[in-house]
């Protein structure tokens, strides 16, 4: 299962008006996964709270996270343990350095920095 952050969790993001709706983002994620792996059955859940379905899905075995979100695994595993579920193994993806035009904003590629660039800030 893949999860996409729902609109409710993005309400306080900088430059929120530039973020596509959950429906649009879910469609793009589904199209990308289908393009990469055409025969896969894609199920995209909406994250409406930080732990998401990973905290309660009995069949879940791993969680793919970025370095920024990897800290959430401990809390998710605590919830899983309290529900009698196996802890998840995490796969932490490294962060990419920004292209030159974004280097002034951050030391990594950031959606917030990209939106600021789109705003001309």
């Amino acid at each position: 299962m893949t999860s996409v952050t729902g609109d409710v969790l993005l309400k306080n993001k900088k430059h929120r008006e530039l973020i596509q709706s959950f429906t649009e983002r879910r469609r793009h994620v589904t199209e990308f996964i289908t393009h990469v792996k055409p025969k896969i059955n894609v199920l995209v859940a909406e994250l409406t709270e930080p732990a998401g379905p990973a905290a309660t899905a009995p069949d879940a075995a791993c969680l793919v996270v970025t370095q920024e979100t990897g800290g959430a695994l401990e809390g998710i595993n605590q919830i899983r343990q309290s529900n009698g579920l196996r802890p998840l193994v995490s796969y932490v993806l490294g962060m990419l350095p920004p292209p030159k035009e974004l280097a002034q904003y951050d030391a990594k590629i950031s959606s917030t920095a990209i939106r600021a660039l789109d705003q001309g800030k």
Side-chain angles (χ1 to χ4, degrees), residues 11 22 43 52 71 73 77 89 93 105 108 113:
K11 65 183 176 189
F22 167 76
L43 175 61
L73 182 67
N77 277 336
V89 173
L93 303 176
Y105 295 101
K108 61 186 181 318

Side-chain angles (χ1 to χ4, degrees), residues 2-40:
T2 300
S3 298
V4 172
T5 304
D7 295 332
V8 68
L9 292 179
L10 298 174
K11 65 183 176 189
N12 295 323
K13 285 289 208 180
K14 289 182 181 178
H15 311 293
R16 170 66 185 101
E17 68 279 4
L18 297 177
I19 300 174
Q20 296 172 331
S21 70
F22 167 76
T23 303
E24 290 175 278
R25 288 179 288 115
R26 177 180 54 198
R27 181 175 52 81
H28 289 279
V29 167
T30 302
E31 288 172 356
F32 175 77
I33 293 171
T34 303
H35 175 76
V36 172
K37 187 86 172 179
K39 295 181 182 181
I40 195 168

Side-chain angles (χ1 to χ4, degrees), residues 32-92:
F32 175 77
I33 293 171
T34 303
H35 175 76
V36 172
K37 187 86 172 179
K39 295 181 182 181
I40 195 168
N41 182 20
V42 180
L43 175 61
V44 179
E46 180 177 7
L47 287 177
T48 56
E49 50 89 21
T56 56
D59 294 336
C62 73
L63 190 63
V64 179
V65 296
T66 64
Q67 291 169 333
E68 288 182 320
T69 59
L73 182 67
E74 184 178 332
I76 290 169
N77 277 336
Q78 287 175 354
I79 295 169
R80 289 181 65 80
Q81 184 177 15
S82 69
N83 290 323
L85 300 173
R86 291 178 293 125
L88 299 175
V89 173
S90 70
Y91 293 94
V92 181

